[in-house]
Amino acid sequence: MSVLRRFDPRRHPVAWLLLAVVLALAALWQLEQARQGIETRPLAAGDTPATVYLARDREGPAPLVVVAHGFAGSRQLMQAISYHLARAGYTVLAYDSEGHGRNPLPMSGDVTAIDGTTRLLVAELRRVIDAGLALAESDGRVALLGHSMASDIVVRAAFADPRVDAVVAVSMFSEAMTASAPERLLMVGGEWEGRLRAVALDAARQVDAGAVENETVTSGQVRRRAAVAPGREHLGVLYSETTLEETTRWLDDAFGNDADPAVRPTGAWILVLLAAIVLAFRPVAGWLPEPLPPPAEVTAGRFLLAVAVPALLVPLVAVTGYRPFLPVLVADYLALHLALYGVVQLALLRRSPLAGSRASGRAVALLLLWGVGLFGLALDRYAASFLPSGERWAVIAALAPGAVLFLVADAVATDAGHGRLWRRVLARFALLLSLSLAALLDQERLGFVLLVLPVVLLFFCVHGLMGRWVAQRAGPLGAGIGLGLALAWALGVSFPLFAGRFS
């Protein structure tokens, strides 16, 4: 206990802030070093925004590698691969597919049909290939790399486009390949992606029934390999040293290249940077007025009632009354679900969020400055698209009322950040359970809600911690409003714009 007190940020805020700054500077140094020697420039393939990555010391044109992200991803998510392949001497072109990142066009078509959304995404990729081959730095040879959803897109594009010489599918789930095509296919899956690893191994066994993981199999002109990145999951596989090395060797073999650039790990440093930003917020929250005395704890019976009833009741009501009206997958349902959840929970708690609240304006401003501004800018530069454009502003505005209502109620239920750990965990688990129930009740329209759950869980772990520190000093109102606006922003920028049929 004495050790914990010694490092308590409330007792030594300056030392705590300096520690956070040192960690942030170390992470920034490593992340910027990984970009050294690489030139980037924007490129538009029609309406599709893209980025070209080129090594500054390269000579002459080189094979083109087009990099495609997965569902709810962006060019930023693929940066580790893009920079590494550029250092290996390739001309790299990464893009935001329709409905994602900075792309102004929504996804369209029927997501349940191969000749719907999938066909349109393949056509978009082929337009990007055209734009990349028009670059003076491209020598006419092409490879495609896709993650998750885009693994299916790159495989299908290779079928449709004879210019494609090699394909890399990361976290692959495509069923499009045959025993003879694509001819040169590397599949990389994370160790913890059991189902996707099985899909990749089955694809390798189309060529050789005795194929095993991490072994290259051939049959005539067909060459395949199902590689495994140790200790990685669906996103971590993109930053894995194994993924980068396997991809480089595969492309070098296809194009007769002999580059062997050192792997510069960025995934861990991104986490260090984001953690440092959160740690720095603890002493910064001390700029708010002196801490309020803890409110009288909500009785266990009332707390459990306020957690259980909305978790079970809201999905039944919201699913029945749900009518899509926003151009983002299930964002309109989330707006409805969160608003009803917050209203029901506040009614059951019988406690006003105004009680015990003060300096709410400063609390909101501080959470937005840190949780959206500083944290978001770091995320946008190094890991994921976080700056909204076009219709996303309207989506954020539509999500905000419901998100604010829910998080104000959550702050009241957890006693303005003073609630016991089991109560805080149970309150957040109840929301995740409630959203899962909604997805199960209407799988056709709301199945995509399940993809929201990791975003919400990450939000609770990061922004929820910052909100707790604010609530302990300013009460539930400012913390709830600030967190609600931050959640609306995070959801509004994370999920694809969609103008097609998914119901």
Side-chain angles (χ1 to χ4, degrees):
M1 184 65 69
S2 61
V3 173
L4 293 176
R5 286 178 184 162
R6 191 176 305 148
F7 293 100
D8 189 338
R10 292 168 294 184
R11 299 166 67 90
H12 305 287
V14 175
W16 191 266
L17 185 59
L18 285 175
L19 173 62
V21 169
V22 168
L23 289 174
L25 290 175
L28 287 170
W29 170 262
Q30 293 292 336
L31 292 171
E32 291 300 319
Q33 281 294 108
R35 294 167 172 247
Q36 292 300 306
I38 303 299
E39 171 194 346
T40 62
R41 66 172 187 260
L43 177 72
D47 291 311
T48 302
T51 300
V52 181
Y53 299 81
L54 301 164
R56 291 195 176 95
D57 60 357
R58 55 176 284 163
E59 297 179 2
L64 172 71
V65 182
V66 179
V67 176
H69 60 78
F71 185 84
S74 62
R75 285 170 286 173
Q76 288 97 318
L77 187 63
M78 308 300 289
Q79 284 183 113
I81 289 173
S82 297
Y83 276 103
H84 183 77
L85 292 178
R87 284 195 297 272
Y90 294 100
T91 298
V92 181
L93 182 59
Y95 70 100
D96 288 339
S97 64
E98 291 180 356
H100 294 74
R102 309 282 201 274
N103 196 317
L105 297 180
M107 295 175 71
S108 56
D110 183 351
V111 298
T112 65
I114 295 300
D115 62 351
T117 305
T118 298
R119 177 182 58 82
L120 296 174
L121 292 176
V122 170
E124 179 185 38
L125 173 52
R126 297 188 69 185
R127 292 193 298 271
V128 174
I129 294 173
D130 291 339
L133 289 175
L135 294 169
E137 296 86 357
S138 173
D139 68 4
R141 295 176 290 172
V142 182
L144 306 178
L145 184 149
H147 174 240
S148 192
M149 174 189 75
S151 66
D152 183 50
I153 304 305
V154 297
V155 166
R156 294 179 187 278
F159 272 96
D161 199 324
R163 298 172 297 181
V164 177
D165 298 295
V167 176
V168 179
V170 183
S171 301
M172 189 189 76
F173 66 83
S174 177
E175 298 178 351
M177 77 286 295
T178 66
S180 59
E183 285 190 353
R184 191 178 291 267
L185 174 63
L186 168 67
M187 300 156 287
V188 185
E191 180 184 356
W192 301 333
E193 295 185 289
R195 183 176 67 87
L196 300 183
R197 285 173 57 186
V199 171
L201 188 56
D202 285 344
R205 287 176 175 170
Q206 289 180 339
V207 176
D208 183 341
V212 296
E213 291 178 323
N214 297 318
E215 175 187 80
T216 301
V217 294
T218 60
S219 176
Q221 297 298 313
V222 181
R223 188 175 180 85
R224 288 190 185 162
R225 180 177 176 87
V228 178
R232 299 299 173 126
E233 29 59 54
H234 198 59
L235 291 180
V237 67
L238 294 173
Y239 299 92
S240 166
E241 182 175 336
T242 298
T243 302
L244 301 180
E245 291 178 343
E246 288 274 358
T247 299
T248 306
R249 284 197 296 266
W250 192 258
L251 298 181
D252 286 351
D253 180 68
F255 296 119
N257 193 15
D258 59 358
D260 187 21
V263 174
R264 300 182 183 181
T266 56
W269 286 111
I270 291 171
L271 294 178
V272 170
L273 175 61
L274 298 180
I277 292 172
V278 174
L279 291 176
F281 186 76
R282 184 65 181 93
V284 168
W287 296 344
L288 292 169
E290 285 298 313
L292 291 165
E297 187 176 63
V298 175
T299 63
R302 185 166 298 281
F303 170 79
L304 293 174
L305 185 70
V307 166
V309 170
L312 300 175
L313 176 64
V314 169
L316 298 174
V317 176
V319 169
T320 302
Y322 170 54
R323 300 293 182 273
F325 65 91
L326 288 176
V328 169
L329 287 172
V330 302
D332 32 31
Y333 178 77
L334 289 173
L336 175 63
H337 192 110
L338 292 173
L340 289 176
Y341 202 106
V343 168
V344 172
Q345 193 162 64
L346 281 173
L348 291 171
L349 289 168
R350 296 182 184 176
R351 178 180 287 181
S352 170
L354 295 174
S357 291
R358 60 178 177 178
S360 295
R362 273 189 282 172
V364 172
L366 197 59
L367 278 169
L368 291 181
L369 174 63
W370 218 265
V372 173
L374 190 57
F375 190 91
L377 286 173
L379 198 64
D380 192 84
R381 179 164 176 80
Y382 298 112
S385 180
F386 203 77
L387 299 180
S389 58
E391 291 181 275
R392 293 191 183 276
W393 287 109
V395 173
I396 292 171
L399 282 164
V404 167
L405 274 170
F406 164 70
L407 281 159
V408 167
D410 179 78
V412 174
T414 55
D415 297 319
H418 295 281
R420 302 178 197 181
L421 178 61
W422 71 267
R423 291 194 178 203
R424 301 198 304 270
V425 171
L426 184 59
R428 280 68 186 272
F429 174 77
L431 175 70
L432 299 177
L433 174 63
S434 185
L435 292 172
S436 300
L437 288 175
L440 293 175
L441 288 171
D442 191 344
Q443 295 182 39
E444 282 193 19
R445 294 191 302 169
L446 300 177
F448 283 104
V449 167
L450 297 177
L451 298 176
V452 176
L453 302 187
V455 176
V456 176
L457 181 60
L458 181 62
F459 180 87
F460 282 142
C461 293
V462 176
H463 290 77
L465 181 60
M466 292 191 285
R468 179 170 175 248
W469 293 333
V470 166
Q472 288 173 345
R473 300 187 72 97
L477 186 62
I481 294 174
L483 286 180
L485 295 174
L487 178 60
W489 186 296
L491 293 173
V493 300
S494 296
F495 279 78
L497 297 170
F498 198 85
R501 187 173 76 82
F502 60 98
S503 61

